[in-house]
């Protein structure tokens, strides 16, 4: 349960009520219009609010019934306990008392017997609350009541008014509900009565004997004891003893400075004294000195006295025993001294005002608790402190360093919290309410966790617009109306140092502390930015010295001075400007204003553009320099809320306040998008020490903590996850006002007038934490939030499935196998509890080397005799035997650095790598990548049992499409389905997307048709009609219908299929049947009839739009009319490419461009934004900006394709060097975000840029003008296919044409020229551009 600041207790004499009920200690107190119910130092049971908003005056808890009464000035509310789930209790409204005549200026409540309630104000009223609220007795008073209370047996009532010197004792004469009668007597006092309290009568020796004892105090500082008088006396109570509070404390030394002479007194009930003594005796068996103290206290306890404790401001305490007059024969007097001790320190305020300089102390000790004697201290300055003491230490006359231990301090606001601001470090906070109530808090960390203590209070009568905290200078800056003020918060009551007027165009939106170039002692700069993007910067200097008693006595008059004015950009569409959450960043920055500086503010517009800014203070020129760091078009119109982090993260809430997006502002990349279904109220950022981000999303009654995750391209997993949900709806009915992060991952939440502190600990029982296998913590049931987030984002061990996966995609298959072999060797000798080296003993430079394995040739030729041998070095490859052994270890051994799910993934990868290794000599790298991940998905689908299985991603389709080993791939894919490949299996593997050979494509499609027909026992021709008609094999389908005699549609279908569909009337008949089938929702069969009518476009449209099967539509178009047909071209241009642009799917886009024979565009689509390559430019959607659209494997495909053909080289030449540079750096950052730092280092270390002509380094150029385009490649290759279309020859010169008939001269036809002398010239030399030979020629490497 989070720690709580329940609210500022009212400075009222009856603000607190303490009792014990159902074996549980109940503490109630009033705070503003809230009634707070607690059961322990940090245990808030419930908060009850008065909807009228009137502040409460008194509260009383009934130990007999568990009822709670609370009153405002004119209304009394009564709450009944109701048992909640488990052993907890909840209070609900039983009834309210409203009596305009008798209930006025209420100040006091007291419970009697049988649910009777005494209400004191301008009248004394008594009510019965057993069933319904019934008035029993009313007595108007001349002086309104200040205090009124029942005795324990409810036979007497003691009351006193404001400034009264008399205590009126009302004696009950009748207990009738219809005719209650009282008489009264006076107890005279020489000065104003300040307090009166009845002795508790719950213990046996006082119960029911009518021996009521009253304790009173008055302004003469005399403590008086009143007891029951003789039955024949006219007085109800007689004075039997008194204690002079001044004289009872005599300091042992002369004080250094004059004291105020104030005395404080409280009573320890004899029963509580006995229980506390028993607890102390059980803990002090071996301490001789304390044993003597306990023996002395045991002798005192034998008289069953109440203990009167008197103390002063200096910590001197005197304890006196007060015994019942009925037992006074046992001792000389009924008042005797017990102890006089020093060091009894309470946290009194030195600078408290007269109204705040008052303390009430309530004591109790519960036998069933481990706690000692509890002193619940109510300071009228707005605090309640829970103090704990062992009785022997409390009354030990020797010097003791610490007699009291503070377990909790309850404070807070009187009015609902509106805003909470934090300092950069998060250790100082300021909370404010709607009416200017402003509190300064300090975070304190101890062995029990984090606490928030009230440090100072700012009393600003005007509404506060903006504020900021300068923690190092102990200052708070406020913007109020058109003034700025500086407050010193070193004292309990903050002191205003200066207030200045200012003028600014627009409404002030943001007040920030500017980052300093270096830590300038005693000088800080703050700035305000308006809605017109105008700003003012001020220089703030440190104030002077501060004395804890005398306050501020010297300060620099120039504590605040205007530094400069500035303008950002036009704010015409500006929605808001907010300061970024510092997220633990250093307030100082480097001396450079560049993209590496941290963000200072973010601005967002109504159209959804997000801008982030950084700033630097120029001391010499007295100016503030601003730099626009990033601009993101989020596509969210009229965002309602935004928050930014100084480490380049931003969160944006849509106009409905239910949808959240999280952006990486450095890369303009969307990382998270979700619709929570409830309104978002607040966003707050923090970060771990290693700059991993955590976002708190506040809703009405709970806060959800989202932590960033590694980018996961293996499972397309989310980049953010919920690590904790803080739900406080059972503690307070108020909705959340604001929340803010403190240091060390603690979160402060304001709800109503209360503040809740959720410490940065997570329960290890939660599934997320349990799966991380964290250990070694001091508290095994708790784990630090930052530890969990760091584990979720820390650098991956090299055997992590994500790292192995990316190694294979990067072309480092040999490295991946060496990692798995090294892991197998390590697990052979692994015992539980040992650490596993994250590098497995591999040297870092091994990860930066290229893959040395020679690739296989597509035609099956081997490069050398050694390559024909079996794997001689079996220790460096993953064989089937090694894979089986390693997977056996992975199922039995829990690897500390991996979760259970990650171990399952690693086991799948091991099995797939072994499968690929079996066929390595027949597969090229692209085929190996496809087979590896196809096999992995097949294993997952076999365990998932999903229907239908998801198709393989377009990334794997691209690998297979660009493979030269497709024949072997087709065979391997077919072997995965021994019962026959169905269309669902083909769609799962994407086979009809990546087969390039038209004959193989038709062959496999016919296999699908045949298997579709034989998949059922009845062999229904309807099932395979679409496939055979796509193959234009109507006669085969007609033959199948002849055998389907059981089908009621046989005769009509057979008769229809027997016609000649080249004729228009039969095509029309087929179309009519197709539309009828559409109306019956038989979409696949309708598509077949569209094919029969030679309307392939409609058939493809039905497959895509009605069946939702894009692959089926593409396959039909390819089979029906080939890859050069107009339907496929239109489908690619009008549907596939726009879809790829909207989704940001570069894999789909490059495949589509390659199918269109636009190989140059296929290469550019891997780097450039897709929408910029299309004729119809449409802004991409949010999905296109998601981080999954930027797969780091794109760099591998780009590197592979750009040197394949002259077209791809031309496409690469259109990419500017800056764009390629940004692409490589962005990919390296993606590797870093995946925690694959070694792969990021390998990429930037080994990347080779294309050579570019002189002067073209920063722009694109035309390779058609180059003599040899292969010169762009740093590694010359002769296997560059010349696929550029031949250039159009220029028209011949006029002089070359015949003046008669324009015939081409013979020399131009033969290539041999005739000179002027009639001799023949040699033929023209061949073209300068090298003509590429056939790739299959073995002479190619010799350059012929």
């Amino acid at each position: 349960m989070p720690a709580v600041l329940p609210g500022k207790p009212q400075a009222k004499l009856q603000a607190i009520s303490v009792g014990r009920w159902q074996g549980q200690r109940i503490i109630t107190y009033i705070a503003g219009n809230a009634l707070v119910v607690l059961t322990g130092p940090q245990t808030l049971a419930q908060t009850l609010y008065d909807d009228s908003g009137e502040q409460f005056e008194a509260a009383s808890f009934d130990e007999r019934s568990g009822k709670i009464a609370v009153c405002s000035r004119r209304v009394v509310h009564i709450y009944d306990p109701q048992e909640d789930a488990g052993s907890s209790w909840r209070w609900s409204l039983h009834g309210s008392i409203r009596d305009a005549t008798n209930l006025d200026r209420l100040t006091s409540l007291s419970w009697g017997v049988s649910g009777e309630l005494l209400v004191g104000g301008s009248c004394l009223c008594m009510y019965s609350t057993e069933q319904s609220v019934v008035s029993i007795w009313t007595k108007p008073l001349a002086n309104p009541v200040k205090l009124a209370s029942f005795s324990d047996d409810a036979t007497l009532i003691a009351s006193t008014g404001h400034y009264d010197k008399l205590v009126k004792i009302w004696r009950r004469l009748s207990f009738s509900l219809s005719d209650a009668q009282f008489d009264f007597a006076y107890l005279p006092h020489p000065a104003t009565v300040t307090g009166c309290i009845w002795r508790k009568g719950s213990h046996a020796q006082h119960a029911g004997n009518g021996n009521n004892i009253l304790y009173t105090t008055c302004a003469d500082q005399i403590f008086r004891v009143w007891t029951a008088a003789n039955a024949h006396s006219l007085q109800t109570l007689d004075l039997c003893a008194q204690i002079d509070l001044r004289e009872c404390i005599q300091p042992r030394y002369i004080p250094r400075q004059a004291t105020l002479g104030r005395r404080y007194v409280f009573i320890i009930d004899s029963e509580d004294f006995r229980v506390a003594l028993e607890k102390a005796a059980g803990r002090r068996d071996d301490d001789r000195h304390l044993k003597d103290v306990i023996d002395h206290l045991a002798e005192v306890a034998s008289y069953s006295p109440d203990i009167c404790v008197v103390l002063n401001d200096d910590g001197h305490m005197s304890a006196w025993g007060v015994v019942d007059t009925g037992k006074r024969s046992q001792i000389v007097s009924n008042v005797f001294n017990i102890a006089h001790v020093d060091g009894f320190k309470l946290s009194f305020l030195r600078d408290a005002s007269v109204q705040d300089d008052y303390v009430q102390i309530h004591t109790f000790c519960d036998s069933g608790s481990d706690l000692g004697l509890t002193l619940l201290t109510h300071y009228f300055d707005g605090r309640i402190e829970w103090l704990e003491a062992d009785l022997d230490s409390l009354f030990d006359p020797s010097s003791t360093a610490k007699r009291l231990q503070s377990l909790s301090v309850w404070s807070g606001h009187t009015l609902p919290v509106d805003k909470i601001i934090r300092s950069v470090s998060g250790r100082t906070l300021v909370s404010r309410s709607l009416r200017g109530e402003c509190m300064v808090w300090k975070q304190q960390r101890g062995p029990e966790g984090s606490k928030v203590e009230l440090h100072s209070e700012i009393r600003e009568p005007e509404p506060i617009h903006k504020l900021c905290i300068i923690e190092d200078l102990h200052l708070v800056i406020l913007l109020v109306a058109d003034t700025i003020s500086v407050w010193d918060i070193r004292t309990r009551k903050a002191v205003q140092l200066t207030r200045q007027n200012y003028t600014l165009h627009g409404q002030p939106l943001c007040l920030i502390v500017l980052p300093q170039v270096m830590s300038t002692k005693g000088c800080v700069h703050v700035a305000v930015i308006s809605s017109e993007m105008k700003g003012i910067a001020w220089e703030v200097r440190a104030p002077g010295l501060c004395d804890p008693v005398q306050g501020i006595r010297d300060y620099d008059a120039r504590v605040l001075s205007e530094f400069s004015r500035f303008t950002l950009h036009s704010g015409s569409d500006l929605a808001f400007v907010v300061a970024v959450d510092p997220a633990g960043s250093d307030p100082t920055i480097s001396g450079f204003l560049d993209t590496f500086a941290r963000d200072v503010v973010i601005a967002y517009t109504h159209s959804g553009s997000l801008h982030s800014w950084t700033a630097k203070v120029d001391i010499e020129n007295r100016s503030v320099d601003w730099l626009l760091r990033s601009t993101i078009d989020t596509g969210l119109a009229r965002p309602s809320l935004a928050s930014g982090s100084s480490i380049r993260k931003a969160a944006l809430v849509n106009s409905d306040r239910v949808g959240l997006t999280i952006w990486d502002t450095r890369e303009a990349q969307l990382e998270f998008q979700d619709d929570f279904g409830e309104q978002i109220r607040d966003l707050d950022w923090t970060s771990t020490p290693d700059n991993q981000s955590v976002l708190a999303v506040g809703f009405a009654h709970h806060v959800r903590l989202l932590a960033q995750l590694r980018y996961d391209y293996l499972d397309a997993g989310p980049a953010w996850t919920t690590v904790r949900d803080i739900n406080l709806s059972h503690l307070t009915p108020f909705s959340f006002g604001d929340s803010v992060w403190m240091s060390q991952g603690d979160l402060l939440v304001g709800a109503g007038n209360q503040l809740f502190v959720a410490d940065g600990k997570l329960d290890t029982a939660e599934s997320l934490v349990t799966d991380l296998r964290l250990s070694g913590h001091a508290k095994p049931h708790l784990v630090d939030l930052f530890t969990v987030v760091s584990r979720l984002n820390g650098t991956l061990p090299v055997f992590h499935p994500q790292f192995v996966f990316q190694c294979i995609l990067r072309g480092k298959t040999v490295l991946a196998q060496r990692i798995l072999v090294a892991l197998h060797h390590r697990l052979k000798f692994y015992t539980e509890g040992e650490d596993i080296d994250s590098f497995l003993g591999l040297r870092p430079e091994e990860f930066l080397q290229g893959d040395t394995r020679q690739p296989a040739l597509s035609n099956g030729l081997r490069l050398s005799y050694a390559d024909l041998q079996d794997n001689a070095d079996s220790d460096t490859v993953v064989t089937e035997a090694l894979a089986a052994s390693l997977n056996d270890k992975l199922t039995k051994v829990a690897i500390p650095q991996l979760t259970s799910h990650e171990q399952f993934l690693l086991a799948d990868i091991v099995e797939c790598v072994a499968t690929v290794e079996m066929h390595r000599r027949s597969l090229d790298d692209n085929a190996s990548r496809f087979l590896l991940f196809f096999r992995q998905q097949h294993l997952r689908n076999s365990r998932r049992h999903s229907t239908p299985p998801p198709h393989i991603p377009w990334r794997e389709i691209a690998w297979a499409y660009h493979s030269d080993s497709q024949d072997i791939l087709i065979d391997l894919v077919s072997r995965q389905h021994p019962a026959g490949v169905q269309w669902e299996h083909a769609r799962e593997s994407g086979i009809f997307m990546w087969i390039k050979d038209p004959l193989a494509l038709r062959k496999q499609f016919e296999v699908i048709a045949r298997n579709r027909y034989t998949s059922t026992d009845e062999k229904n021709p309807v099932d395979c009609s679409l496939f055979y008609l796509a193959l234009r094999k109507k006669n085969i389908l007609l033959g199948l219908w002849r055998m389907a005699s059981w089908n009621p549609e046989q005769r009509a279908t057979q008769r229809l299929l027997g016609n000649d569909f080249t004729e228009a009337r039969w095509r029309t008949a087929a179309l009519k049947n197709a539309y009828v089938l559409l109306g019956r929702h038989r979409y696949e069969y309708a598509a077949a009839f569209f094919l029969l009518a030679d309307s392939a476009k409609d058939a493809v449209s039905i497959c895509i739009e009605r069946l939702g099967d894009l692959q089926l539509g593409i396959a039909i178009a390819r089979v029906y009319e080939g890859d050069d047909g107009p339907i496929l071209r239109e489908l690619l241009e009008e549907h596939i490419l726009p879809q790829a642009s909207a989704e940001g799917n570069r894999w789909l886009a490059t495949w589509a461009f390659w199918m269109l024979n636009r190989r140059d565009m296929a290469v550019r689509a891997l780097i450039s934004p897709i929408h910029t390559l299309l004729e119809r430019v449409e802004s991409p959607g949010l999905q296109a900006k998601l981080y999954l659209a930027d797969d780091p494997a794109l760099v591998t495909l780009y590197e592979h394709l750009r040197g394949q053909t002259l077209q791809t080289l031309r496409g690469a030449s259109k990419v500017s060097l800056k764009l390629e540079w940004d692409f490589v750096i962005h990919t390296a950052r993606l590797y870093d975000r995946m925690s694959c730092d070694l792969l990021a280092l390998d990429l930037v270390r080994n990347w080779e840029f294309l050579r570019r002509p002189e002067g073209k380094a920063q722009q694109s150029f035309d390779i058609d003008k180059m003599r040899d385009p292969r010169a762009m490649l740093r590694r010359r290759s002769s296997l560059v296919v010349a696929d550029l279309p031949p250039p159009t020859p220029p028209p011949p010169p006029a002089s070359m044409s015949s003046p008669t008939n324009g015939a081409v001269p013979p020399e131009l036809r033969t290539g041999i020229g005739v000179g002027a002398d009639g001799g023949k010239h040699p033929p023209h030399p061949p073209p300068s551009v090298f003509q590429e030979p056939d790739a299959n020629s073995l002479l190619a490497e010799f350059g012929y």
Side-chain angles (χ1 to χ4, degrees), residues 319-454:
W320 299 78
V322 180
V323 296
D324 188 356
T325 55
K327 296 181 179 286
R328 63 186 172 190
S329 60
Q330 300 177 7
I331 56 176
V332 176
S333 171
N334 56 351
V335 175
F336 60 95
N337 183 261
I338 297 175
H340 187 100
V341 300
D342 299 328
F344 196 103
K345 289 288 187 180
L346 297 179
S347 55
F348 298 113
L349 292 183
R350 295 286 184 180
D351 56 346
S353 63
V354 176
Q355 293 82 2
D356 297 341
D357 188 18
Y358 191 78
V359 175
Q360 280 184 334
I361 300 176
H362 304 259
T363 63
F364 56 86
C365 186
D366 297 327
S367 58
S369 169
D370 296 332
L371 302 177
L373 180 67
T374 299
L375 281 70
L376 203 61
T377 308
H378 176 203
Y379 304 96
F380 273 43
D381 59 12
R383 295 173 295 145
I384 298 176
E385 187 173 16
W386 184 302
L387 297 170
E388 205 69 29
D390 291 332
L391 202 63
D392 50 352
S393 298
L394 188 66
F395 293 105
D396 184 1
S398 63
S399 297
T400 302
K402 193 171 184 180
R403 302 181 186 273
L404 301 173
Q405 179 184 3
S406 177
L407 299 186
S408 180
V409 177
W410 300 333
S411 185
H413 282 260
T414 303
L415 301 172
V417 175
D418 175 55
K419 188 67 177 177
I420 309 175
I421 305 296
R422 58 167 279 180
S423 65
V424 173
S425 68
R427 292 187 291 271
T428 303
L429 308 108
V430 176
S431 59
R432 74 169 193 256
S433 63
L434 292 173
R435 299 180 188 175
E437 188 181 32
C438 200
M439 304 288 188
V440 182
W441 309 88
K442 288 284 188 178
Q443 182 190 20
Q444 306 290 339
R445 297 197 64 84
E448 299 299 324
S450 179
K451 295 191 302 182
V452 176
E453 297 180 354
L454 182 61

Side-chain angles (χ1 to χ4, degrees), residues 26 109 124-125 375 733 894 941 966-967 1038 1040 1125 1237 1285 1287 1332:
I26 306 296
L109 297 170
L124 269 182
C125 304
L375 281 70
N941 292 339
Q966 290 193 350
D967 293 341
L1038 183 59
L1040 297 179
D1237 301 352
E1332 193 65 46

Side-chain angles (χ1 to χ4, degrees), residues 1032-1048:
R1032 299 179 184 269
K1033 294 188 176 183
K1034 185 192 70 172
N1035 292 333
I1036 295 179
L1037 182 62
L1038 183 59
L1040 297 179
W1041 273 107
R1042 291 194 182 102
M1043 295 183 288
S1045 57
W1046 54 271
N1047 195 316

Side-chain angles (χ1 to χ4, degrees), residues 351 456-459 474-476 485-498 543 546-547 550-553 555:
D351 56 346
S456 184
E457 183 176 353
I458 301 173
R459 297 187 176 180
H474 309 286
L475 299 176
V476 171
S485 58
V486 181
W487 295 75
D488 191 310
I489 58 173
R490 289 176 290 181
T491 56
R492 181 57 185 274
K493 295 294 186 291
V495 178
Q496 179 177 294
L497 301 182
T498 184
C546 173
D547 185 88
Q550 300 178 7
I552 305 296
R553 54 187 175 87
Y555 65 90

Side-chain angles (χ1 to χ4, degrees), residues 147 207 370 383 387 408 417 499 545 569 624 628 633 665 772-773 878 921 1005 1241 1262 1291 1317 1334-1335:
L147 291 172
D370 296 332
R383 295 173 295 145
L387 297 170
S408 180
V417 175
R499 181 183 292 263
L545 300 177
H569 67 75
V624 180
L628 180 63
D633 182 13
T665 59
L772 291 177
R773 297 173 178 169
V878 179
R921 303 186 185 282
F1005 205 75
L1241 180 60
D1262 190 357
D1317 56 356
D1334 191 335

